Amino acid sequence: LYTAWLQKLELEETRLALKGQTETNNAILSREAKNSFEQGFYRLLEIHRQVFSSISTTANNGSQRFGSDALELFKPSLKAHNPNNDPASDFNNFYENFHPYISAYFSSFTNLVLSVENSNQINKSFYFDVIRSQLSAYELFFIFYWGLSKHGVR
């Protein structure tokens, strides 16, 4: 009887030890998943910034303009493509003419946002704030129109 009681105590101690190991292992896996996400996220953010910097056009004076400067030159073209005051239609018409310049930008932006949206291991609002903090006023302008258009709907 005494031996059975000792075995029961040992089994309870073993269960508690295994439960502690399981909790520790889960915490380690969770940290590793978060670290893996962060590495991928910041790499995607870096790629997105590179794509943004590669947007280029030629100004009226013949100089090459990149990034925000290029988007600044594209902005008047957006309104010029549709006199109906329909933002979605404005962008759809604009995109038909300018997609070689900006389609890679919106693809990388979509991938960046979806990487945050599809992750369950993170504080999503923090990473969306990081993305927003990296956007220029011209980027926000075009993202707004893109989101209203058929090209931004997913």
Side-chain angles (χ1 to χ4, degrees):
L1 192 60
Y2 179 72
T3 304
W5 180 74
L6 283 176
Q7 287 177 339
K8 180 183 172 191
L9 287 176
E10 286 178 8
L11 283 173
E12 287 176 5
E13 287 176 6
T14 302
R15 278 190 205 119
L16 288 174
L18 288 175
K19 182 179 177 186
Q21 285 178 343
T22 301
E23 289 171 358
T24 301
N25 289 342
N26 288 341
I28 290 169
L29 289 174
S30 178
R31 269 195 313 271
E32 287 178 3
K34 184 179 181 203
N35 288 342
S36 176
F37 169 80
E38 282 187 350
Q39 288 175 352
F41 172 79
Y42 286 110
R43 181 68 185 129
L44 282 174
L45 187 60
E46 180 183 328
I47 290 168
H48 180 69
R49 298 316 305 157
Q50 290 171 356
V51 169
F52 173 65
S53 296
S54 72
I55 296 172
S56 69
T57 191
T58 305
N60 290 339
N61 66 5
S63 65
Q64 279 294 110
R65 306 277 296 272
F66 297 93
S68 281
D69 292 338
L71 290 182
E72 179 182 6
L73 292 177
F74 292 159
K75 189 175 177 182
S77 300
L78 179 61
K79 285 294 185 187
H81 281 90
N82 187 6
N84 299 329
N85 286 335
D86 175 16
S89 208
D90 286 349
F91 190 86
N92 291 334
N93 292 328
F94 168 82
Y95 192 82
E96 296 302 319
N97 293 309
F98 287 85
H99 76 275
Y101 303 100
I102 60 174
S103 62
Y105 173 83
F106 290 112
S107 293
S108 70
F109 180 77
T110 300
N111 288 333
L112 185 60
V113 169
L114 288 177
S115 74
V116 174
E117 185 61 37
N118 293 334
S119 179
N120 296 324
Q121 303 293 325
I122 58 159
N123 176 357
K124 292 180 184 183
S125 65
F126 171 79
Y127 291 97
F128 283 129
D129 288 344
V130 169
I131 294 170
R132 271 192 299 273
S133 73
Q134 299 293 309
L135 300 174
S136 70
Y138 291 111
E139 286 176 278
L140 291 171
F141 174 83
F142 280 96
I143 289 169
F144 170 77
Y145 275 87
W146 171 73
L148 295 175
S149 75
K150 67 182 180 184
H151 303 285
V153 176
R154 285 193 180 201

